[in-house]
Amino acid sequence: MAPVSKKAKTEATEKELESLLFGNNADDMWDQTGHELEIKDEETKNESGEDEEEEEQDNEEAFFFDSGPVTFTLDVPTIGGQASDSEIDYEAEEENNDKTMSLESDSEDNDDSDDDESDEDYAAWEDEDDKNLKISLMASNLTKKLRNDADEDVVDGVEYTRRLRKQFNKIYPKPDWARLPSEIKAEERKRKATDSDDEDEDENADRDEDELDNETRLDLLKSTMGILDKRSANRTISPKKLDIMRLKNANRDAPKSKIPITCIAFHPNAQVLMTAGLDKTLRLFQIDGKINPKIQSIRFKDMPIYHAEFHPSGDQIVVCGRRPFFYIYDIQMGVVDKCPGIWGREERSLEKFSISPCGRYIAFLGTSGTIIIVSYVTKQWFCDLKMNGGSVQSVDWSSDGKYIFGFNNVGEVYQFNVQDKECVKRWNDDGCIGASVISVSPNEKYYATGSSTGVVNLYDRSVLDPNTTNPKPIKAIQNLTTRINNIVFSHDSQLMVISSQLKKDQLRIIHVPTATAYSNWPTDRTPLNDVIGVAFSPNSDYLAISSTSGRVLLYTLKHYALK
């Protein structure tokens, strides 16, 4: 037989590959697939002339090749207890062995009722020799603590491993963030049952542990409820030390300027901060604590901005200055609408206002003790709420937007029902000299008033008693000495920030339940300057402070930060 040239052999191989790839010879494809080793063995025989039968037999046992479309399934019953293919027999034997081993391990685990591991968890691999090992628990002081009673000595390897694992879990328990709510509740029930001497109570606790309702079996991988809803729920902040850390300035991405920032506010639904000032520019920043990039900026050519607020929906911003008109900026559409004042009112300035939490009303501070209520939907006048005896200095709302509280310059506080357009309560601020600002906590448990002397009176809900006209505050906070400009509560009403603009570094954070100021912050090195505005983020994990220097300081409160 004439030898085949190397070139012809290469061309034949290329044609074979081409037919396999492009399907020109699909009928022979499955006949050729899976016989690569046989072809290689034949070539080796032709070249060497040696027949290695033992090596071929080893290869056939060591490898399995897919030789075409599968015409059987592993679930098909075998005939006479034997499978039609040795490969299937091998896998079936492995599965049977695994099931047998798992059943044996389950029976051993069920012998001890104190086993902490679930019956549904199987080990990936078990050493059969562990059953034959014999370990003495009395041989060392370290292993004596693994005994169930004083006379116990020798245990096998499986039991020794289980007790070591149980001891480790006692010393190093699973952290709270990695535990399911169902596990926490089960542990609480078990602890209560242990403390009780009643055996019936122990049985009920064990039964409750196994019959938890589906609502408590929350998985961290299936829901975010366990993280977001409970990250700081029912936790009280320490009144002695405030855990606070400074971050990069919130407006570091804006052009450097010494024009005062008169207004700052956080978006109600996102980590976005708004800044506005006398440079007639409103800016939005994405707050991350590191870069704080600027999202956009809007310039109002005919109005220096004195006050701006987000609508509770977060879709619009109301912008005002010392002008008889105001602007509404639609964030989604990027459109600015100009509202030409309030019909029927000749106000020269609309720089002071407040939007109700329900989003239905805007309250402008008018002249002669008048609070002007405007419908947010129609932008039309709704009603006037009149306060006697002086000019309106500050207003704030109840959490549902049903009531508005007004504070006039003679120290009188009025509570109005906006829908009924009537005053439902009136009282005098205790010892007030030159009223400046009023603030209502989000949970409506606390009411704070500030004066020109720097005194902040903190009241509880007893101030709303209809029979009380001169209530006494639970605490008169006297940490500042100049006119109070800001009183801001955190979202859970545990913290209150008070500040004054008339003197440098006049800012304190108050622990509301104890009505005490934190002594560890701010320090002498805190660069507050003349504080103009203060704002908490929606979850109070960020605190922003604006000043006359044009900077917006940003701090994080670790108590509220996501852990």
Side-chain angles (χ1 to χ4, degrees), residues 311-408:
H311 186 266
S313 65
D315 296 334
Q316 295 179 334
I317 301 175
V318 179
V319 184
C320 292
R322 291 181 177 176
R323 300 289 187 271
F325 54 86
F326 60 95
Y327 288 98
I328 295 181
Y329 172 59
D330 193 308
I331 302 175
Q332 302 294 335
M333 303 296 294
V335 178
V336 178
D337 292 329
K338 183 177 181 180
C339 299
I342 304 171
W343 182 83
R345 299 287 305 185
E346 296 182 358
E347 299 291 335
R348 299 181 60 183
S349 174
L350 298 176
E351 62 181 289
K352 296 181 179 181
F353 71 93
S354 178
I355 303 177
S356 65
C358 62
R360 297 173 57 190
Y361 308 107
I362 307 177
F364 290 95
L365 276 62
T367 57
S368 303
T370 303
I371 303 175
I372 308 169
I373 305 298
V374 175
S375 172
Y376 190 88
V377 178
T378 63
K379 310 302 185 294
Q380 299 296 320
W381 173 85
F382 179 75
C383 68
D384 287 342
L385 303 176
K386 179 67 175 176
M387 300 176 64
N388 299 326
S391 61
V392 185
Q393 297 297 315
S394 176
V395 296
D396 202 3
W397 297 84
S398 60
S399 59
D400 57 0
K402 183 179 180 180
Y403 300 101
I404 186 172
F405 297 85
F407 196 29
N408 63 16

Side-chain angles (χ1 to χ4, degrees), residues 167-179:
Q167 183 69 15
F168 179 84
N169 291 333
K170 287 182 179 179
I171 300 175
Y172 304 104
K174 187 185 295 184
D176 291 340
W177 61 265
R179 299 168 63 194

Side-chain angles (χ1 to χ4, degrees), residues 422-435:
E422 64 177 0
C423 178
V424 297
K425 174 66 178 176
R426 175 180 173 183
W427 77 87
N428 296 317
D429 185 24
D430 185 67
C432 178
I433 300 176

Side-chain angles (χ1 to χ4, degrees), residues 415 424-427 461-471:
Q415 180 186 8
V424 297
K425 174 66 178 176
R426 175 180 173 183
W427 77 87
R461 288 190 61 86
S462 62
V463 76
L464 301 180
D465 187 356
N467 300 324
T468 303
T469 57
N470 294 293

Side-chain angles (χ1 to χ4, degrees), residues 249-298:
N249 290 346
N251 63 339
R252 65 190 300 266
D253 205 20
K256 292 183 179 181
S257 174
K258 293 186 177 181
I259 300 178
I261 302 295
T262 57
C263 178
I264 56 175
F266 278 92
H267 192 280
N269 305 318
Q271 296 287 29
V272 175
L273 178 69
M274 173 195 67
T275 66
L278 301 181
D279 59 352
K280 305 179 182 180
T281 304
L282 183 145
R283 298 180 177 89
L284 298 177
F285 299 90
Q286 180 70 44
I287 300 300
D288 57 11
K290 298 178 181 179
I291 302 177
N292 305 325
K294 185 178 72 173
I295 301 175
Q296 58 180 323
S297 59
I298 306 94

Side-chain angles (χ1 to χ4, degrees), residues 485-534:
N485 295 101
N486 295 286
I487 300 178
V488 182
F489 285 92
S490 61
H491 78 288
D492 58 356
S493 305
Q494 291 196 68
L495 298 180
M496 179 179 68
V497 180
I498 60 175
S499 68
S500 174
Q501 184 182 344
L502 299 181
K503 191 176 180 181
K504 190 176 180 180
D505 300 335
Q506 291 291 287
L507 183 143
R508 294 293 183 273
I509 297 182
I510 309 298
H511 183 259
V512 178
T514 59
T516 57
Y518 285 96
S519 59
N520 67 307
W521 195 89
T523 65
D524 296 338
R525 302 181 61 182
T526 305
L528 295 175
N529 293 322
D530 298 328
V531 178
I532 298 179
V534 178

